[in-house]
Amino acid sequence: MCGIVGYIGFRNATDVLIDGLRRLEYRGYDSAGVAVRTPAGLRVVKRSGKLAALESALKEEHLEGPLGIGHTRWATHGAPTDPNAHPHTTEDGRIAVIHNGIIENYLELKEALKARGHRFTSETDSEVLAHLIEEKYQGDLFQALKEALKEVRGAYAVVVAHEDHQEIVAARTVSPLVIGLGEGENFLASDVPALLPYTRRMVFLHDGDLARITREGVEVTDLQGNPLEREAVEIDWTLEAAEKGGFPHYMLKEIYEQPWVLENTLGGRLREEEGDVELGLGLDPMAIDRIHVIACGTAAYAGWYGKYLLEALARIPTEWDVASEYRYRDPVVDERTLAIAISQSGETIDTLEGLREAKRKGARTLGVINAKGSSITREVEDVLYIHAGPEIGVASTKAYMAMLAAMAMLAVHFGRRRGILSKEEAQRLLKEMRKLPRLVEEVLEKRPLIAHLAEKYHQAQDFLFLGRHVQAPTAYEGALKLKEISYIHAEAYPAGEMKHGPIALIDEHLPVVVLATKGPLYEKTLSNIQEVRARGGKVIAIATEGDMEIGKLAQDVFHVPEVHPLLAPMVSVVPLQLLAYEIAVLLGRDVDQPRNLAKSVTVE
Ligand code: F6R
């Protein structure tokens, strides 16, 4: 949550900060602000609302200087107002602080600081950091931050500038921070895409790291002041990949990137001849008796899909949980349990904490992750990168696709290694997986049909999504996409469960999207469609190419290409992503930055 950018060098910091914040606005867009070290001292401009509000304020109040810090906020403590926007300053305005995360003991700290004469101007937890640093400051900003953090409990990425110092100091615990290395200039950000126009050489700070960033270099220590070596990583994401490339929204661009993403994820990993997948994992699949999949939101639905495949192809008992529940349910874990954390950002705090809980109880760990160098990748024994490239649209699409592909590969790999899946069956699946990029391409070509459906149904107040077995997660993902970006109420159910309650919702006003692709449960799904029709509901069926019968039951049918039933979710989710997108556009919603959401959720 919240985007952070810092700059020190020879350019005008304001330009770098605004440019970086624009690339990070998906992390939060309740307010934005910058602090720049100008010849007249440290100057702050901040505004509630989107970045555009800050940009117009900066036209009035021009800030020029080679050092600055900037922030775009996703509100946790305090409403999205001007005073609550970051940076926060001390009363004399000489220290400016931006913060991402939550200071758990801020009330206690605030009362103590007030008692010592500090005056606060915001309702945020973050402002205590500025006052604490001021108290500790004796001429060394780095030292002051270190001392201040000793009193702080919680999660933070904190970045500090001081009027008298040619340096930015920063620290992180839980919330991510990355330093971009340049020549005669250095950068800082909460996320890689902010820095891609300037550098690809990045240093990822770890939990408990403090950094002093000057024009010439970077110094990293732990909270005790012991120097630490942090290796620079070369990032292979291109700038073009992080920009819209001619599409009106990042979400649409990312939906259209899915064939390429599948090529990338499956890449050189499929070994059709041997009937195996090469994942480069250290993990011995024979050393595990059960799997716990931990993730949130869209990633959790990919985990649910993974459960079906891991059980079907590798016969490993697999549990699937949303991470915020897993962590507190005291799961039964032993050293033969494999905990798999799935995450696009690799920073989702619920997922990270769920993983830590499994680790504490002795589990082996694997991350299925998109963002290289992210927190989860550093805490797991093995990482399976999904290689989806930067995902900027707040509603996840291409990362979901890549996660499904990764889970399918994992299941084949485990199934083969455990002697459950025959070479022939694996070969058949891998051959089908190879076709996926082309099949997804075919679905994308039929976007006008989805636009037509959107036109027909965009006035609906509610939607229901139904699917069975591997298509149950697809139904949930379809409903999540729709509610996230169109704000239409949407519910999802496993189709067989509908008759146990949700059927009461059905009337002639309710569009019901049914995943009815060919597979072992096709007939059962048809019965569910009959149940909806009998009660006047309007059925939009996602069916397999060539299935003409279904047209007799459903008002609308969208055909997807035929593929192995276990892989059908990868072609079926695409029309649902497009439907959500087209409806949101028709309703005039902000597709890339839907209200109340943030891309990377680093608070619990
Ligand atoms: C939905 C969405 C969220 C994320 C969830 C997990 O479109 O984007 O539900 O899937 O917050 O995020 P990651 O994958 O970064 O852990």
Side-chain angles (χ1 to χ4, degrees):
M1 330 295 261
C2 305
I4 289 177
V5 187
Y7 177 74
I8 180 163
F10 47 82
R11 309 175 200 235
N12 181 18
T14 310
D15 300 337
V16 179
L17 300 179
I18 294 295
D19 181 48
L21 291 178
R22 197 173 299 119
R23 287 167 213 286
L24 292 185
E25 218 187 352
Y26 62 88
R27 289 186 66 100
Y29 30 83
D30 291 332
S31 62
V34 293
V36 176
R37 191 165 174 258
T38 73
L42 199 61
R43 292 286 174 272
V44 173
V45 177
K46 52 188 191 174
R47 288 292 180 275
S48 59
K50 295 202 170 185
L51 192 58
L54 174 66
E55 285 180 280
S56 43
L58 283 168
K59 282 196 188 116
E60 311 270 294
E61 208 170 333
H62 194 66
L63 301 187
E64 188 105 25
L67 183 160
I69 58 179
H71 187 265
T72 172
R73 177 169 185 248
W74 187 79
T76 54
H77 291 62
T81 58
D82 284 359
N84 288 339
H86 298 222
H88 293 289
T89 52
T90 45
E91 237 177 293
D92 62 8
R94 290 163 64 78
I95 298 176
V97 171
I98 57 186
H99 164 237
N100 180 6
I102 289 177
I103 307 297
E104 280 163 15
N105 56 338
Y106 88 100
L107 275 177
E108 190 185 304
L109 290 170
K110 190 169 177 175
E111 287 317 308
L113 283 159
K114 273 166 114 177
R116 296 199 291 270
H118 291 262
R119 287 219 304 257
F120 284 76
T121 55
S122 80
E123 305 150 311
T124 66
D125 53 338
S126 310
E127 194 184 348
V128 298
L129 290 169
H131 294 273
L132 257 186
I133 293 165
E134 181 182 36
E135 270 197 351
K136 307 290 176 190
Y137 181 73
Q138 289 177 344
D140 183 338
L141 189 61
F142 192 64
Q143 189 65 23
L145 174 61
K146 197 164 65 187
E147 291 307 316
L149 290 180
K150 286 184 183 157
E151 297 185 17
V152 165
R153 259 196 345 264
Y156 52 76
V158 51
V159 179
V160 191
H162 189 295
E163 189 158 286
D164 297 341
H165 290 257
Q166 272 277 28
E167 63 185 10
I168 296 171
V169 301
R172 75 156 278 188
T173 282
V174 181
S175 304
L177 266 186
V178 57
I179 296 168
L181 303 176
E183 296 290 330
E185 58 180 351
N186 286 305
F187 306 82
L188 181 86
S190 49
D191 250 8
V192 168
L195 306 185
L196 287 176
Y198 309 102
T199 179
R200 301 254 160 71
R201 281 182 62 226
M202 312 273 175
V203 173
F204 290 90
L205 293 183
H206 296 194
D207 274 356
D209 284 3
L210 271 94
R212 183 203 303 270
I213 302 145
T214 60
R215 273 187 65 162
E216 290 74 34
V218 176
E219 183 191 325
V220 183
T221 74
D222 63 17
L223 267 180
Q224 283 66 49
N226 303 308
L228 294 169
E229 281 294 322
R230 293 283 176 244
E231 221 183 298
V233 181
E234 200 69 32
I235 294 294
D236 53 11
W237 290 355
T238 61
L239 180 57
E240 300 74 61
E243 287 181 343
K244 278 190 215 158
F247 285 91
H249 299 99
Y250 282 113
M251 183 185 177
L252 189 62
K253 172 182 175 251
E254 288 161 6
I255 291 173
Y256 271 84
E257 280 174 353
Q258 292 179 115
W260 164 84
V261 165
L262 280 166
E263 299 266 10
N264 240 18
T265 312
L266 304 170
R269 289 161 160 170
L270 308 188
R271 303 270 180 274
E272 286 96 325
E273 298 238 317
E274 299 146 47
D276 205 352
V277 182
E278 179 51 57
L279 298 177
L281 304 178
L283 180 81
D284 173 9
M286 296 307 285
I288 50 175
D289 290 338
R290 62 177 143 189
I291 294 176
H292 287 179
V293 186
I294 312 160
C296 301
T298 287
Y301 298 142
W304 186 6
Y305 168 79
K307 167 190 161 68
Y308 286 118
L309 268 74
L310 287 161
E311 293 192 334
L313 304 178
R315 306 304 299 154
I316 308 174
T318 303
E319 290 175 38
W320 159 81
D321 275 86
V322 292
S324 52
E325 287 298 311
Y326 182 82
R327 182 181 175 193
Y328 297 107
R329 77 162 163 85
D330 195 11
V332 180
V333 173
D334 61 21
E335 66 288 350
R336 293 185 65 82
T337 305
L338 171 67
I340 304 180
I342 309 180
S343 174
Q344 187 287 124
S345 61
E347 301 292 350
T348 302
I349 193 67
D350 287 324
T351 307
L352 185 58
E353 289 297 346
L355 175 80
R356 286 178 177 155
E357 174 68 9
K359 238 168 115 174
R360 259 193 301 276
K361 293 183 158 191
R364 309 287 314 269
T365 54
L366 167 69
V368 177
I369 306 292
N370 193 33
K372 203 168 164 183
S374 55
S375 300
I376 295 178
T377 65
R378 290 200 298 273
E379 299 211 12
V380 286
E381 289 159 80
D382 273 301
V383 184
L384 175 54
Y385 280 109
I386 62 170
H387 296 311
E391 191 179 62
I392 310 290
V394 167
S396 182
T397 51
K398 63 173 181 171
Y400 183 65
M401 183 66 77
M403 286 167 185
L404 297 183
M407 294 310 284
M409 286 193 293
L410 198 63
V412 170
H413 177 67
F414 283 179
R416 289 292 287 138
R417 295 299 149 96
R418 291 167 69 93
I420 302 290
L421 189 65
S422 71
K423 183 174 169 182
E424 293 68 34
E425 182 55 13
Q427 283 174 324
R428 192 160 89 83
L429 270 161
L430 299 183
K431 251 176 80 188
E432 291 280 286
M433 282 162 94
R434 269 283 178 234
K435 288 194 220 154
L436 283 168
R438 185 171 49 76
L439 301 184
V440 168
E441 192 93 58
E442 283 174 28
V443 178
L444 289 168
E445 281 162 16
K446 296 203 293 187
R447 180 175 157 213
L449 298 180
I450 294 290
H452 170 72
L453 289 177
E455 190 67 54
K456 189 164 164 187
Y457 292 106
H458 74 281
Q459 305 284 15
Q461 301 288 307
D462 311 274
F463 266 75
L464 184 61
F465 288 73
L466 302 173
R468 282 173 176 264
H469 195 244
V470 286
Q471 295 287 36
T474 318
Y476 278 72
E477 175 57 8
L480 179 62
K481 285 292 89 86
L482 185 66
K483 57 189 144 191
E484 270 184 307
I485 60 166
S486 74
Y487 317 148
I488 294 177
H489 169 242
E491 291 220 36
Y493 270 89
E497 182 66 10
M498 180 189 62
K499 57 189 173 293
H500 299 288
I503 197 162
L505 296 171
I506 291 171
D507 63 16
E508 65 280 13
H509 304 296
L510 185 74
V512 184
V513 179
V514 186
L515 280 302
T517 46
K518 285 281 165 71
L521 296 173
Y522 173 71
E523 303 292 335
K524 303 258 180 231
T525 308
L526 286 193
S527 307
N528 301 132
I529 292 180
Q530 300 271 23
E531 290 157 13
V532 174
R533 284 308 303 277
R535 283 145 189 98
K538 295 197 169 61
V539 174
I540 305 165
I542 308 297
T544 305
E545 211 104 84
D547 180 357
M548 291 307 159
E549 281 304 293
I550 202 158
K552 294 182 190 149
L553 296 177
Q555 260 88 359
D556 293 284
V557 181
F558 183 90
H559 284 109
V560 292
E562 184 158 17
V563 69
H564 190 294
L566 289 179
L567 305 177
M570 283 176 249
V571 291
S572 310
V573 74
V574 179
L576 306 191
Q577 296 167 337
L578 286 170
L579 184 67
Y581 174 80
E582 299 288 359
I583 289 180
V585 170
L586 281 173
L587 293 174
R589 308 295 192 227
D590 190 343
V591 170
D592 282 332
Q593 297 178 349
R595 70 185 181 203
N596 307 338
L597 294 174
K599 182 74 184 155
S600 173
V601 187
T602 49
V603 292
E604 254 197 87

